[in-house]
Amino acid sequence: MSLNAIMNTATSGLTTAQTQLRVVSDNVSNVNTPGYVRKIGDQVSLSSHGMGVGVEVARIRLATDRFLQAASLNAGAEAARQGVRHELYDRIQSLFGDPGGDNGFFSQVDAVFAAFAASAEDPTSSPRRQDALFRTQSLFSEAGRIGGQIQAVREDADGRIQSAVERANALLQQIEGLNLEIARATVVSGDASGAETAQAALIGQLAELVDIRVAVRPVGGVSIRTGAGALLAGEGAATLSYTRAGTVTNETAFNEIWVTEPGGQKRPLLDNVASGEIKGLVELRDIEAPATAERLAELVARFADELNRAHNANSAVPAPPSLTGRNLGQSFENAIAGFSGQTTVAVTNAGGVIQARADIVFSGATMTVNGAAATPATFLTVLNAQLGGAATASFVDGKLTIAASGGNGVAIADDPDIPSDKTGRGFSHYFGLNDLITTDRPGFYETGLTAASPHGFTAGESLSFRFTSESGSKLRDIQVAIPAGGTVGDLISALNDPATGVGRFGSFALSADGALTFTGYGSPPPAMSVLEDTTVQIPSGVSVTELFGIGGGVRASRADGFALRSDIRQSPSRLALAHLNLSAAVGASALSPGDGRGALLLADAGERTANFSPAGDSLGGSISVSRYAAELSGEIGGKAAAAKNRNDMASALATEASARQTAHEGVNLDEELVLMTTYQQAFNASARLIQAARDMYDTLLGMI
């Protein structure tokens, strides 16, 4: 080997050792830098014509492990998903207060029934009546507040989704910019480790928003796809787009989150992600929070219905001058048909003495009033004739009103042996003539309608449905028009039409009590919501959605619509605590001021079995109001605890995955000091070789 070759080989060793020392120096100086990935100089030998000619650092790379990186990214995405779910559901749970405390929402349910029980002990006590009414109103006000706050949580989640989308777009742009920088350095065999370290930190932030898969490109940099394969970066940066809904209500229809790939293909993001912060926010906004709102509304609606059942069975003393029912959302002929049993409408004076009475016997489509035959079309005329001017019954805008004349009052009671009944409600209760709790929208959906009943909507009016997949992405929006046929059966046929209705996704069916239910096809079935409903029922003014309770949104909206009847709130003496004595004839006393049997019925309303409809993730069924409240309380607390456990486990897994990745990729001072000593010795050895070659040159030159 010539002296020149020796000199060149030693110089390459000197340069290589210097480069390795620089790498070690950079590692040591960043030992406490968060997210820093240790650098490694790949050292290779050089050869020429089969002979070794030195050494060089082929490239400086990061000490990454793609398996550890993938595990850490996946664990971080799941931790972010469970973190936001726990955070927001914990806020929802806190709205209800301590389930075991005296001031929580669910404890107020039992407090209302206890207050009515106290009123039964002294029916004439105004303070006890006021306490019962105050607790009742407080419960419904609190339900409205909680319902509103649940929507505020959903609105917060919706706003955070938009912010997350904007952050994801910024990260993708930065990652793609670093891809170009890394590729340029790779082409000229430069050092791209700084850009790669910065890019790894950005990828970690992106993985907390959506779950991703990362692959290294041959030209340098990375290619990033979602868990389902949508391209986010590597051939340009993808763009995520979302427009938040603004003010959120139970019936809000949210916009789709789209991802436009670098090639221009547009896909629903939710079909392409399984974890990450965005996924967690969507699940809370679209599944968990609405389910809680629906459960709350169902509890409040049945609570109000059972109080109204008890209140309609009794009368105030003196009886009120008029009774006006709720808006039924149907014609009077539809409403009065289908009753069975017997009921009595009595007109009493201030002393409770009966001035006139109408004994009504129902038998399906036929009925009698004081023995006089009537049909649904003639019922009001016959009833007014039998009351003989002492009271007048009328039906306007979907509401039945019975008003007494001459300063008298109206009281209604069912026969104790054969009570009137339609869909499980008596005559007064079904029409809401003496409701204690009022609402401006239908509170229950057992309409009593049959397939042959006229629906009352105008042909050509329409309502729109949206169907979404299990992931939350939109499947299809469908607009259905009210058909020319005027019966409920015609309406259901139009809704179920596979071509123009929802028949491809599920079917509607009318139950025996007139409730309309939807059953989706598939496992799991698609979720259905109502986008818009422009229908108006004549004469009531309600929509198809409101009449039948179609969609979880309209059902959940009931929670903030209940209130104590205004005249009873202003005058507690109008609280119906007495029972009309049906054995009393005209001219005899039938109401007593000291009668507290009605208060006992109100106190026992919580223990009476009610038919709860499916709501949220509950299948409903026959259960008492108190029991339903207790189960809902436990369920909300259990879900909050489960969300915390999932968050803790996901966080622990993410911490462990990060620790293992750091152990492999992070800087170990002991190892770096060993390398420093090794390269320092290599540097010194190369320097001594150069010195030896110089001495040999000097010797040769001296010989000349």
Side-chain angles (χ1 to χ4, degrees), residues 525-549:
M528 181 195 71
S529 59
V530 179
L531 285 178
E532 186 181 23
D533 188 349
T534 62
T535 60
V536 179
Q537 203 266 353
I538 299 173
S540 67
V542 303
S543 65
V544 171
T545 303
E546 292 172 324
L547 176 61
F548 292 107

Side-chain angles (χ1 to χ4, degrees), residues 216-521:
V216 178
R217 301 190 307 171
V219 296
V222 296
S223 174
I224 301 177
R225 294 181 179 273
T226 64
L231 182 63
L232 297 179
E235 300 175 10
T239 302
L240 277 63
S241 58
Y242 178 69
T243 303
R244 63 179 300 181
T247 301
V248 174
T249 68
N250 286 293
E251 299 172 60
T252 297
F254 295 99
N255 297 311
E256 185 77 83
I257 307 173
W258 295 100
V259 54
T260 303
E261 295 180 294
Q265 184 176 2
K266 192 173 183 179
R267 302 186 184 185
L269 177 67
L270 295 179
D271 278 347
N272 290 275
V273 296
S275 60
E277 182 178 326
I278 292 177
K279 182 69 173 182
L281 290 169
V282 169
E283 288 175 330
L284 188 285
R285 183 197 67 182
D286 294 351
I287 300 175
E288 293 164 346
T292 303
E294 288 179 41
R295 292 293 304 274
L296 172 65
E298 184 65 16
L299 169 62
V300 173
R302 297 300 168 176
F303 182 81
D305 194 40
E306 291 307 313
L307 288 180
N308 287 337
R309 182 190 303 279
H311 202 258
N312 275 280
N314 299 282
S315 175
V317 182
S322 66
L323 298 175
T324 299
R326 70 172 71 91
N327 188 344
L328 296 176
Q330 52 187 294
S331 66
F332 181 75
E333 288 77 10
N334 278 345
I336 198 64
F339 271 98
S340 61
Q342 302 176 19
T343 192
T344 295
V345 178
V347 179
T348 63
N349 61 17
V353 177
I354 296 180
Q355 306 299 300
R357 62 183 286 170
D359 296 312
I360 307 169
V361 177
F362 295 103
S363 181
T366 62
M367 55 205 74
T368 61
V369 183
N370 288 343
T375 65
T378 63
F379 178 82
L380 289 180
T381 301
V382 174
L383 176 60
N384 286 330
Q386 293 302 315
L387 290 172
T392 302
S394 60
F395 189 82
V396 179
D397 295 334
K399 301 177 182 179
L400 175 64
T401 298
I402 302 178
S405 58
N408 294 321
V410 180
I412 302 175
D414 282 339
D415 184 280
D417 298 321
I418 314 175
S420 61
D421 177 79
K422 181 177 181 179
T423 69
R425 297 173 176 84
F427 173 77
S428 182
H429 182 203
Y430 181 85
F431 283 96
L433 291 169
N434 196 20
D435 279 354
L436 175 63
I437 309 301
T438 60
T439 179
D440 57 357
R441 60 177 72 103
F444 57 86
Y445 305 111
E446 299 83 13
T447 63
L449 295 172
T450 66
S453 301
H455 55 63
F457 296 98
T458 304
E461 295 176 336
S462 64
L463 61 163
S464 300
F465 299 93
R466 169 167 292 177
F467 290 90
T468 54
S469 66
E470 183 184 17
S471 67
S473 64
K474 182 179 71 173
L475 295 175
R476 185 159 187 172
D477 292 343
I478 298 175
Q479 186 179 67
V480 181
I482 300 298
T487 68
V488 172
D490 295 328
L491 175 61
I492 295 175
S493 296
L495 290 171
N496 289 337
D497 191 304
T500 59
V502 304
R504 285 162 289 179
F505 297 96
S507 63
F508 286 94
L510 192 70
S511 63
D513 58 6
L516 190 64
T517 57
F518 176 78
T519 302
Y521 299 149

